[in-house]
């Protein structure tokens, strides 16, 4: 274990990039791009520049008018509720598709709250033959020989972003063509995404794999060519594994059917440690509450954030730089690098106040410090039964009319 040390995040953005690079010499990937700078101010700028009508028309196209809000939502720089309200007020039902996509984010999070660590294992038996080959270097380095897939991987590594449609194609290629273990791929993918979030990520991989959906997701060349504007296909000379009809692909990829058993993956439990008799209270800032406007920043206690290898150890360089940007906007937050328990003990903390989270790793880390979990405003103010959390369509039947209004709600 490395000894804990206090960091001093520079105010200047260029200096900050270099500083984080020096503090995390083992972090993989590229520097954070200017257009992805972290923090609430940049999140608000992105929110205010949304073109919801264009989004409605072209979000599935790789060069469509998507919002790039996800890293800001993921880290709590802006909240889902304020984003939803802002878009609904400005665009009304012209923004129907975007409002609907916001709900997907809430749905995955609700499932994580309800299921905890179980989201890292197969939620249901697969509906088709999937397999569990190890994740290869040729995938993680973008050397598959397919210009489309290599292009998506390089974009991920260089920018920390991948369009939703590309994520679906890539995950489908990895799981159904290469027969790679979805869980290994999902872990690697999440570590490189600026918006890396276990709920949206692991559950989307399961949706593609068919372990949290009624059928697998797969696509053909025509679909990829159409939504990429032939960007990769036009000059591609590779033997295209997607150049077939859906019937042919179904036959090729999924026969024979596997015995339907849901695979369980283990999650390494964190070491259990105890604290007693220390009265001091601190606000613990975790990586889902990185907003300069966060209400807990007004509490009269020390505010502490820890880059903890148990949580952030696999994160790419630009993810860590994004977090540092967010922290640089937040006044009076002590930033540490090391083991959370060691840091809080060294600071004489006996109890923490923090924002509630479905992230079980954070919960385990804070367990010894009698955490007081401050609730986050709900997306729709309603209890959602476990049955409704089995499929998005059932969740949306309940939530859609509440957040859109009965008159605006349409069954998807
Ligand atoms: C295999 C796979 C892995 C994914 N991993 C993540 C992840 O780690 N973190 C993450 O935030 N999203 C993840 N997604 C969902 C989605 O791809 C991203 O939220 C979206 O591409 C982010 O870009 P954007 O903000 O420009 O999206 P936009 O299309 O502009 O959408 C606006 C917002 O709606 C929400 N949203 C849109 N589509 C989805 C979706 N399918 N699921 C959940 N929320 C959605 C996001 O919060 C997004 O910021 C994953 C999808 C797939 C298929």
């Amino acid at each position: 274990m490395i000894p804990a040390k206090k960091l001093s995040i520079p105010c200047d953005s260029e200096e900050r990039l270099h500083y984080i690079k020096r503090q995390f010499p083992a972090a993989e990937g590229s520097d954070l791009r200017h257009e992805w700078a972290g923090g609430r101010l940049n999140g608000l700028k992105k929110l205010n520049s949304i073109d919801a009508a264009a989004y409605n028309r072209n979000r599935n196209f790789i060069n469509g008018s998507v919002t790039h809000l996800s890293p800001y939502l993921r880290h709590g720089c802006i909240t889902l509720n304020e984003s939803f309200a802002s878009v609904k007020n400005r665009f009304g039902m012209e923004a129907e598709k975007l409002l609907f996509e916001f709900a997907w984010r809430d749905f995955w999070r609700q499932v994580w709250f309800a299921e905890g660590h179980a989201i890292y294992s197969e939620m249901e038996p697969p509906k088709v033959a999937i397999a569990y080959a190890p994740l290869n270097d040729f995938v993680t380095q973008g050397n598959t020989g397919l210009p489309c897939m290599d292009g998506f991987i390089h974009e991920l590594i260089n920018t920390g972003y991948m369009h939703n449609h590309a994520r679906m194609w890539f995950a489908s290629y990895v799981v159904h063509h290469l027969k790679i273990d979805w869980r290994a791929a999902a872990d690697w993918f999440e570590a490189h995404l600026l918006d890396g979030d276990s709920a949206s990520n692991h559950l989307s991989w399961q949706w593609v794999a068919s372990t949290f959906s009624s059928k697998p997701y797969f696509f053909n060349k025509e679909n990829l060519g159409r939504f990429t504007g032939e960007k990769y296909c036009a000059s591609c000379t590779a033997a295209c594994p997607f150049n077939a009809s859906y019937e042919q692909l179904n036959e090729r990829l999924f026969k024979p059917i596997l015995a339907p058993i849901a695979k369980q993956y283990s999650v390494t439990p964190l070491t259990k440690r105890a604290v007693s008799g220390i009265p001091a209270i601190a606000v613990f800032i975790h990586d889902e509450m990185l907003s300069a406007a966060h209400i807990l920043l007004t509490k009269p206690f020390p505010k502490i954030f820890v880059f903890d290898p148990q949580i952030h150890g696999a994160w790419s360089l630009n993810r860590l730089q994004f977090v540092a940007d967010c922290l640089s906007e937040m006044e009076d937050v002590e930033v540490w690098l090391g083991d959370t328990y060691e840091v809080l003990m060294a600071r004489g903390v006996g109890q923490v106040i923090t924002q509630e989270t479905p992230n079980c790793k954070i919960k385990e880390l804070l367990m010894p410090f009698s955490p007081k979990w401050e609730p986050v405003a709900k997306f729709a103010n309603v209890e959602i039964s476990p049955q409704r959390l089995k499929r998005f369509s059932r969740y949306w039947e309940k939530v859609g009319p509440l957040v859109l209004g009965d008159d605006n709600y349409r069954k998807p």
Side-chain angles (χ1 to χ4, degrees), residues 198-352:
S198 290
S200 289
N201 183 58
H202 283 70
L203 292 169
S204 292
W205 278 86
Q206 298 217 45
W207 180 86
V208 167
S210 81
T211 58
F212 197 36
S213 56
S214 51
K215 55 182 192 308
Y217 171 76
F218 61 107
F219 64 95
N220 67 9
K221 181 178 178 218
E222 191 192 341
N223 177 274
L224 190 142
R226 173 166 179 239
F227 290 104
T228 53
E230 301 291 331
K231 176 175 172 188
Y232 303 101
C233 305
S235 57
C236 179
T237 53
C240 178
F242 318 122
N243 192 8
S245 69
Y246 281 100
E247 292 71 27
Q248 288 165 331
L249 285 168
N250 189 36
E251 192 67 24
R252 196 187 296 162
L253 296 174
F254 303 124
K255 303 288 160 115
I257 303 279
L258 270 189
I261 299 167
K263 185 172 173 181
Q264 303 300 306
Y265 295 80
S266 61
V267 176
T268 319
L270 302 178
T271 323
K272 285 208 168 73
R273 290 179 284 195
V275 172
S276 62
I278 307 175
I281 299 178
V283 172
F284 185 80
I285 308 287
H286 60 68
D287 61 31
E288 291 175 11
M289 50 189 288
L290 302 182
S291 161
H294 201 287
I295 187 77
L296 287 183
L297 293 182
T298 60
K299 296 266 181 200
F301 305 115
K303 286 106 199 160
I304 300 176
F305 176 90
V306 186
F307 281 108
D308 187 323
Q310 296 172 92
I311 303 279
H312 310 111
W315 284 25
S316 61
L317 178 63
N318 51 15
R319 284 202 78 178
L320 298 166
Q321 289 168 327
F322 182 94
V323 169
D325 282 355
C326 303
L327 289 165
S328 73
E329 280 183 1
M330 300 168 71
E331 268 179 38
D332 290 335
V333 175
E334 291 176 26
V335 180
W336 290 77
L337 167 59
D339 176 76
T340 300
Y341 180 84
E342 299 293 329
V343 170
L344 294 179
M345 289 301 279
R347 288 289 286 102
V349 174
Q351 199 200 354
V352 292

Side-chain angles (χ1 to χ4, degrees), residues 12 42 52 79 128 215 312 331 370 378 405:
D12 179 79
N42 287 315
T79 68
V128 293
K215 55 182 192 308
H312 310 111
E331 268 179 38
S370 319
K378 285 192 164 155

